[in-house]
Amino acid sequence: MAVYDPKSLRATEFINDEEILETLDYADRNKENVRLIDELLEKARPRRTAGGCQCSGLTHREASVLLACEMPDKVARMYEVAEEIKLAFYGNRIVIFAPLYLSNYCVNGCLYCPYHTANKTIPRKKLTQEEVRREVVALQDMGHKRLAIESGEDPVNNPIEYILDCIRTIYGVHHKNGDIRRVNVNIAATTVENFSKLKDAGIGTYILFQETYHKKGYLELHPTGPKHDYDYHTEAMDRAMDGGIDDVGLGVLFGLDKYRYEFAGLLMHAEHLEAVHGVGPHTISVPRVKRADGIDPDVFDNSISDDTFTKIAACIRLAVPYTGMIVSTRESEAVRARLLQVGISQVSGASRTSVGGYTEEERPHDTEQFDVSDQRTLDEVVRWLMDSGHIPSFCTACYRAGRTGDRFMSLCKSGQILNCCHPNALMTLTEYLEDYASPETKRIGYEMVARELNRIPRERVRATARENIEAIRNSNRRDFRF
């Protein structure tokens, strides 16, 4: 039997079934242990220091106790502490991005995804480089600066060379005042050599959802194709980091298996990355199974309520305080609003999950990977965030200044990242307001920029940010950053 070892490079040892089951049993035995729960909530709280902010986080076992707890007053306190942590590390900024689907050709048999190879009703499509360019122009015309590219796994139709060509095309499109400044990549697990090629292409974060950490369930949900190999898939982040990629993003697809099992496995994966590489996940995503072509989420009997989903997000924030947390347009406006209050720091906006969807006047549904619940325009999402007191940020400065991996984490964990991220968010928001916003969004936005400038504590930084914002407003100069 495999022995739990967070420093091991074997999937069944750093995501150990026996350890997870023992963790869940421990959580059940302590879910009404008021003294322990209070101690854990106190441990999770951020503490201001002379150098910034310190936050210890929680282990997978400690966080599992909080997730199991159902006492209303303690759950409410979890939400309060989660918001404290998010504000301490990321302030009131919310990073905005969009997915870009390149191809839905896929050789896997994943039972929850409409791209599975047995689906004969979905039209198969792969973007040419000219089509990629047109998609990017459409995204730039909305105001996007950061993309996450997506593709099915197909070594013939979607080889690594195709992905690299698309990345070069995306970075090469300069349209009016628009540029895509960061390309994150969400493609299938691959080799160290291919990860090195992605690193050389200048990607931001490599993202790969585990789908489920329960190996038996994983094998049943992935009956055919290369993704059937649980160990190869689960060990992908180690190969990515061995290939030189600094930032990796984790995620599970909640609803496929028991959520408390998935939660513990997800945190164990984060602990493993810290133990082996000294850097935890740059992001953690929290998608849920959604309806799509030939996919009925009701078939999966592990669906979770909005209340449980909110508690999961809060407990992830308590456990992994430094990570960026992502919720996509899979979720409704109402659910996204709830999650913004418990730790989410990144959202997608105006997403289309179909191949070639951004150049279509009407949202196409025949090649969507999943139903989009939040179908608002980017302008509506930006205004909504500002009305909620959040700064919509299109910033990519850390990635482009080399503040990635352990450099980013050392700044983030000390709270020092706020000294440059707040003004960078305001400058990129000004770009959006000047180049893309509707009149009402522009009015609200400039009122926010004026208020938030006054909150920058360092006078020199505040003065420079003010000068740069004036330059953006009065010229075509763009891309100022600290």
Side-chain angles (χ1 to χ4, degrees):
M1 180 178 289
V3 177
Y4 174 55
D5 180 4
K7 293 185 177 181
S8 172
L9 295 178
R10 298 185 61 182
T12 52
E13 293 179 355
F14 66 79
I15 306 293
N16 182 264
D17 179 69
E18 184 177 359
E19 169 63 21
I20 294 179
L21 295 179
E22 289 178 2
T23 292
L24 299 185
D25 178 65
Y26 175 81
D28 281 333
R29 286 186 282 110
N30 286 280
K31 64 184 179 182
E32 296 179 356
N33 185 337
V34 174
R35 180 178 177 180
L36 175 61
I37 289 166
D38 285 343
E39 289 175 355
L40 294 177
L41 288 169
E42 182 62 24
K43 176 184 177 182
R45 284 185 55 239
R47 287 165 174 77
R48 295 291 178 182
T49 66
C53 177
Q54 293 294 329
C55 200
S56 63
L58 299 173
T59 67
H60 65 274
R61 188 163 287 204
E62 291 170 334
S64 291
V65 171
L66 296 184
L67 184 61
C69 172
E70 295 180 352
M71 292 180 281
D73 59 328
K74 302 307 176 186
V75 174
R77 183 58 183 151
M78 291 177 210
Y79 294 171
E80 291 172 359
V81 176
E83 186 173 28
E84 286 179 31
I85 294 170
K86 191 271 174 182
L87 291 173
F89 283 98
Y90 289 97
N92 59 335
R93 298 171 298 108
I94 300 294
V95 171
I96 296 179
F97 72 98
L100 173 57
Y101 283 76
L102 303 175
S103 171
N104 62 7
Y105 284 94
C106 192
V107 297
N108 289 310
C110 312
L111 300 184
Y112 51 84
C113 178
Y115 292 177
H116 64 82
T117 188
N119 187 348
K120 303 305 181 184
T121 63
I122 191 169
R124 300 293 173 171
K125 186 173 182 180
K126 168 185 172 180
L127 298 181
T128 66
Q129 295 308 308
E130 175 56 29
E131 288 171 328
V132 171
R133 191 194 71 79
R134 291 201 295 268
E135 289 281 287
V136 171
V137 167
L139 285 157
Q140 289 176 351
D141 279 341
M142 293 183 206
H144 279 294
K145 307 294 183 189
R146 176 189 301 238
L147 301 183
I149 59 174
E150 320 261 354
S151 174
E153 183 172 10
D154 186 324
V156 174
N157 287 291
N158 315 325
I160 191 66
E161 291 75 20
Y162 171 69
I163 302 299
L164 297 171
D165 285 344
C166 290
I167 294 170
R168 283 189 287 269
T169 296
I170 293 166
Y171 279 138
V173 178
H174 309 290
H175 173 65
K176 298 179 181 177
N177 285 333
D179 288 286
I180 300 302
R181 298 171 182 164
R182 178 177 176 124
V183 177
N184 297 332
V185 175
N186 186 353
I187 62 170
T190 188
T191 64
V192 172
E193 179 184 5
N194 285 343
F195 282 125
S196 295
K197 292 177 180 179
L198 290 170
K199 168 69 174 179
D200 292 343
I203 74 163
T205 304
Y206 172 68
I207 303 164
L208 184 67
F209 296 165
Q210 179 63 26
E211 321 301 1
T212 174
Y213 284 100
H214 186 238
K215 186 170 183 177
K216 180 176 181 294
Y218 180 98
L219 296 176
E220 292 171 352
L221 287 163
H222 305 91
T224 60
K227 197 169 178 177
H228 178 75
D229 190 334
Y230 173 89
D231 291 0
Y232 187 78
H233 184 86
T234 310
E235 294 161 6
M237 295 308 184
D238 295 293
R239 295 194 301 278
M241 288 186 157
D242 288 345
I245 293 176
D246 294 321
D247 295 335
V248 298
L250 303 179
V252 294
L253 189 53
F254 285 103
L256 293 181
D257 215 298
K258 304 298 184 184
Y259 73 89
R260 289 175 57 203
Y261 190 103
E262 306 291 25
F263 176 84
L266 178 65
L267 297 189
M268 289 165 70
H269 204 163
E271 292 166 358
H272 162 72
L273 296 178
E274 281 271 11
V276 174
H277 305 282
V279 182
H282 187 72
T283 59
I284 292 178
S285 299
V286 287
R288 285 193 286 185
V289 177
K290 292 292 180 179
R291 191 172 304 279
D293 185 290
I295 304 299
D296 181 357
D298 295 334
V299 170
F300 305 99
D301 58 2
N302 295 298
S303 61
I304 53 177
S305 68
D306 292 347
D307 288 342
T308 297
F309 191 46
T310 304
K311 187 160 67 165
I312 289 170
C315 288
I316 291 173
R317 176 54 73 202
L318 296 174
V320 197
Y322 56 81
T323 196
M325 287 185 61
I326 301 173
V327 63
S328 75
T329 53
R330 284 176 181 261
E331 300 298 335
S332 68
E333 175 184 345
V335 170
R336 301 218 295 173
R338 289 184 67 177
L339 267 60
L340 285 174
Q341 304 304 317
V342 296
I344 293 297
S345 58
Q346 296 188 27
V347 300
S348 52
S351 301
R352 295 197 173 185
T353 67
S354 51
V355 180
Y358 293 106
T359 53
E360 299 291 335
E361 185 173 344
E362 296 293 329
R363 180 185 298 273
H365 296 288
D366 59 345
T367 62
E368 283 187 314
Q369 190 186 32
F370 57 85
D371 282 354
V372 173
S373 297
D374 187 345
Q375 298 193 6
R376 291 173 295 173
T377 66
L378 183 58
D379 191 80
E380 290 170 331
V381 170
V382 167
R383 193 184 320 153
W384 166 68
L385 289 172
M386 293 190 297
D387 285 340
S388 305
H390 302 287
I391 304 172
S393 176
F394 297 86
C395 180
T396 59
C398 283
Y399 152 70
R400 291 154 71 235
R403 294 190 294 265
T404 58
D406 56 357
R407 276 92 56 207
F408 173 83
M409 287 300 175
S410 63
L411 287 170
C412 186
K413 289 179 182 181
S414 67
Q416 291 300 311
I417 202 73
L418 290 173
N419 291 326
C420 55
C421 286
H422 191 81
N424 283 338
L426 295 178
M427 291 186 294
T428 58
L429 173 58
T430 302
E431 289 182 347
Y432 176 83
L433 298 174
E434 199 62 29
D435 294 336
Y436 309 105
S438 66
E440 180 64 8
T441 299
K442 193 171 185 177
R443 181 188 66 78
I444 295 169
Y446 279 130
E447 289 176 357
M448 167 168 271
V449 169
R451 286 195 309 271
E452 294 291 339
L453 273 171
N454 292 326
R455 294 181 58 201
I456 298 174
R458 294 183 182 175
E459 185 176 347
R460 181 185 60 82
V461 174
R462 186 167 62 250
T464 300
R466 204 181 295 276
E467 291 173 6
N468 292 345
I469 285 171
E470 285 303 309
I472 293 168
R473 296 187 68 171
N474 296 312
S475 71
N476 283 326
R477 295 174 63 196
R478 299 291 182 268
D479 200 17
F480 295 92
R481 63 183 187 270
F482 287 93

